[in-house]
Amino acid sequence: MHLPIFLRQRSRLLALAYRMLGSRADAQDAVQDAWLRWSGCVLEDLDTPEAYLTRLTTHLCLDRLKSARSRREQYVGVCLPEPLAADDACVGPEGLVERAQRVSYGWLLALQRLGPLERAAFLLREVFELEYPEIGRVLQRRPEACRQLASRAKRKLAEEPAAATRPPADPEGLFRAFVGALESGDAAELSQLLAEDALYMADGGGKARALPAPLSGRLAVARLLLGIWRRWRAEGFRLTPQWLNGMPGALAWRDGRLEMALSLECDAAGRIIALYAMRNPDKLAHLSGSA
């Protein structure tokens, strides 16, 4: 009986762990640890199995967050979560993405700026729709304290513009316009697609070429992108459209090898407010079959 119950909950647990940890690989490890502990449980001694698995996975994530911070501090350059394709199990069950404000990079990075307990309380309430008494049992806090944690997290997220973005009305059209502007080589044309304070972040993890720090500003980002594009065209790169983390984006290939995943985050007007470039090959491996 252990395996069927766990398999029914696995996607939900992965979605919780990915949002808690900001890492696909760590989320998979946490859920695997949850399975190992779950498989040794006496089911008759448990209350609701789903509630127990949620509590178990949350505590495993909280434990992992203690070491994750030190790993990020030692990381070379910008550290971004692994990009998720639309069908990745870490996205979660059908319908979860809409309730979760998707899994955009802006939202995930904003979550990482919350304290661990704030993050857990917010996710369990706003994304996974648990009542505060159950959240209290998960976090071993009074329900009112959990309510305060979730409310504080919600206020902080409301102050993060990128955490509240939505996909553009015509993501395919935006992608075509973006590629067309790159091919034109015209910085002015490309900058028209970018917000004034557009941000570019690239994660190379010390294993691939990437800017060591974020770059901001419409014209600066446009010039950088055009320089990258000119070099890549000369080296035979090709782009394929790909929906990543609830955002329009693309995969960049050379000689059959995935070199980058690029996600475009947009505001309500359809302007690109942030571009997230994943270059770290360790964080691209799961997407290599998407050619």
Side-chain angles (χ1 to χ4, degrees), residues 1-10 35 38:
M1 284 294 294
H2 287 80
L3 184 58
I5 294 173
F6 183 82
L7 290 178
R8 286 197 297 270
Q9 294 296 312
R10 183 174 181 273
W35 159 249
W38 166 255

Side-chain angles (χ1 to χ4, degrees), residues 273-287:
I273 62 171
L275 301 97
Y276 303 97
M278 178 55 67
R279 301 294 318 279
N280 187 337
D282 295 341
K283 296 183 179 182
L284 290 173
H286 63 288
L287 292 172

Side-chain angles (χ1 to χ4, degrees), residues 124-162:
L124 292 171
R125 176 59 183 166
E126 298 296 329
V127 178
F128 296 91
E129 300 184 330
L130 270 63
E131 299 298 329
Y132 286 112
E134 175 59 22
I135 297 174
R137 287 190 286 273
V138 172
L139 300 182
Q140 299 176 335
R141 298 288 192 282
R142 292 181 295 103
E144 184 55 36
C146 293
R147 185 189 300 274
Q148 292 174 357
L149 284 168
S151 296
R152 188 160 62 239
K154 195 171 184 177
R155 287 196 302 271
K156 289 180 179 179
L157 287 174
E159 298 170 359
E160 298 273 359

Side-chain angles (χ1 to χ4, degrees), residues 23 120 203 257:
S23 165
D203 180 342
R257 177 186 175 90

